[in-house]
Amino acid sequence: MMTSNFIDYVKINVRSGHGGSGSSHFRREKHVPKGGPDGGDGGRGGHIILKGDSQQWTLLHLKYQKHIFAENGKGGEGGRRSGAQGPDIYVNVPLGTIAKDPETGMILAEITEEGQEIILLNGGRGGLGNTNFKTPTNQTPRHAQPGEPGQDLWVVLELKVLADVGLVGFPNAGKSTLLSVISAAKPEIADYAFTTLVPNLGVVAYRDFKSFVMADIPGIIEGASQGKGLGLRFLRHIERNSILLFLIPASAENIADEYAILLNELKLYNPSLLDKERILAISKTDLLSEEDRPKLEASLPEGLPYVFISSVLQQGLVELKDLIWKTLHSSQPELPTPAN
């Protein structure tokens, strides 16, 4: 995903189709005196439907398409012929997309699965033809219903990246380097803060042809939950990750303090993020001597699974993948033992 092409927020105007009018018509045929009412019903207007598409990674295709309108239904005709329905409009969005009301912030729809369809706006119902209003006391009704109007709405589409593992850390912690080594992703890597400006996804191969998806989230700084740096914009992408992998370099002054700062920013943004499983990876361990490692281990946060890695030397990556896979599947219930 190139920086210029990664769009995770768009505001669009959608409008469903109006329903077609019912027909007020009477049967007129030779040798059929007093044929009676035979007006058909109007057709329904087109729906606006959100559809999950796993081949889409961003909302770029909607950035320049601000108005999406469905067609109106056709009016009914004589001979009890109903009008055609307006074609439904399908808006393909990447998995993890949320539709919100821009005024209230209320969530209108949420797409998380391939092929999932949610009607965002219903098309207007078609009006009934006069044949529906015939009664023993009113055998020649001369009125029919108009079609219902469609709905018109401005809606915000927000993308939250779906991944199994989300990388959380300060700028220059080595997140992009780890993703480039452990997967086929090719994120931009440079020795300055905020090299990563957009989330990057990579598929990590595991044993026996298994795999999981890892997301490199732009670096968080202290105060990100209040809008500092890039964190506020991209913190929402962490919400959709199954587990969080905290990446802190071995050269940090105090790993426990950095971990506490990162954890506090997540808590301030969304306290429910603390319910996710967490792993700690100490990166850039090629800078450590053998004597430094025991001292560093003694200062790590208690009760948090950790692993030492070096992306440059590709050390500890197998152990890291094992730990991730174990954590991802630790919550799955064990299968019952078959009875003898």
Side-chain angles (χ1 to χ4, degrees):
M1 292 183 288
M2 300 300 293
T3 301
S4 60
N5 290 339
F6 183 79
I7 304 297
D8 60 354
Y9 181 97
V10 294
K11 185 178 181 180
I12 59 175
N13 177 224
V14 290
R15 182 191 301 166
S16 58
H18 303 310
S21 300
S23 172
S24 179
H25 188 273
F26 292 90
R27 186 176 180 185
R28 296 286 189 267
E29 291 184 48
K30 192 175 182 180
H31 309 302
V32 185
K34 299 180 180 180
D38 67 347
D41 301 336
R44 171 182 61 77
H47 295 321
I48 300 292
I49 301 175
L50 292 182
K51 184 175 182 179
D53 183 359
S54 59
Q55 300 304 309
Q56 300 278 2
W57 292 96
T58 79
L59 298 171
L60 176 67
H61 60 297
L62 298 174
K63 181 179 180 181
Y64 303 106
Q65 190 179 1
K66 291 295 184 183
H67 303 277
I68 301 175
F69 300 155
E71 294 184 23
N72 300 332
K74 304 298 182 182
E77 299 178 0
R80 299 188 179 181
R81 292 191 295 271
S82 297
Q85 293 185 355
D88 297 331
I89 298 296
Y90 288 85
V91 182
N92 287 359
V93 294
L95 307 187
T97 299
I98 289 178
K100 289 183 176 180
D101 186 314
E103 300 296 330
T104 65
M106 182 178 68
I107 295 178
L108 306 175
E110 189 172 355
I111 299 294
T112 58
E113 299 178 3
E114 165 70 16
Q116 180 184 1
E117 296 181 8
I118 296 179
I119 298 177
L120 187 61
L121 290 184
N122 286 289
R125 290 186 300 179
L128 298 177
N130 65 342
T131 188
N132 295 278
F133 302 104
K134 181 174 62 175
T135 67
T137 57
N138 183 14
Q139 297 184 6
T140 57
R142 299 183 181 277
H143 66 277
Q145 287 182 338
E148 290 185 353
Q151 303 176 60
D152 193 315
L153 179 69
W154 280 94
V155 62
V156 167
L157 297 181
E158 245 182 41
L159 172 62
K160 297 181 181 181
V161 169
L162 286 172
D164 297 308
V165 186
L167 291 174
V168 181
F170 288 104
N172 282 4
K175 301 187 299 298
S176 297
T177 304
L178 172 62
L179 186 67
S180 68
V181 171
I182 207 171
S183 74
K186 301 300 177 188
E188 183 181 355
I189 301 172
D191 189 21
Y192 56 87
F194 300 118
T195 308
T196 303
L197 297 176
V198 300
N200 292 289
L201 293 178
V203 178
V204 180
Y206 190 59
R207 308 174 192 269
D208 301 325
F209 304 103
K210 300 182 180 71
S211 64
F212 54 86
V213 178
M214 180 177 286
D216 172 19
I217 310 298
I220 299 173
I221 65 173
E222 189 170 7
S225 57
Q226 279 75 47
K228 294 183 180 180
L230 299 176
L232 181 63
R233 180 180 174 189
F234 295 109
L235 274 171
R236 66 172 174 269
H237 293 295
I238 300 176
E239 294 182 72
R240 292 299 181 81
N241 300 325
S242 299
I243 66 174
L244 303 180
L245 173 57
F246 288 79
L247 200 65
I248 300 177
S251 56
E253 291 185 7
N254 190 309
I255 291 178
D257 287 348
E258 290 204 3
Y259 172 73
I261 292 172
L262 291 169
L263 206 59
N264 186 55
E265 291 304 319
L266 298 185
K267 179 182 178 181
L268 292 175
Y269 175 73
N270 185 350
S272 65
L273 290 176
L274 301 188
D275 296 333
K276 295 181 180 293
E277 294 286 344
R278 301 190 292 271
I279 298 173
L280 176 63
I282 312 302
S283 64
K284 304 181 182 181
T285 53
D286 50 290
L287 304 176
L288 284 179
S289 64
E290 289 298 326
E291 295 77 16
D292 293 334
R293 181 171 294 197
K295 300 177 183 177
L296 198 60
E297 286 183 315
S299 66
L300 296 180
E302 294 184 5
L304 183 66
Y306 65 89
V307 62
F308 287 89
I309 65 169
S310 171
S311 300
V312 174
L313 301 181
Q314 298 193 19
Q315 294 176 346
L317 300 185
V318 174
E319 292 81 358
L320 175 62
K321 289 195 282 188
D322 286 341
L323 181 57
I324 290 172
W325 189 262
K326 178 182 177 182
T327 306
L328 277 172
H329 296 83
S330 62
S331 59
Q332 293 185 355
E334 297 183 3
L335 296 176
T337 305
N340 295 328

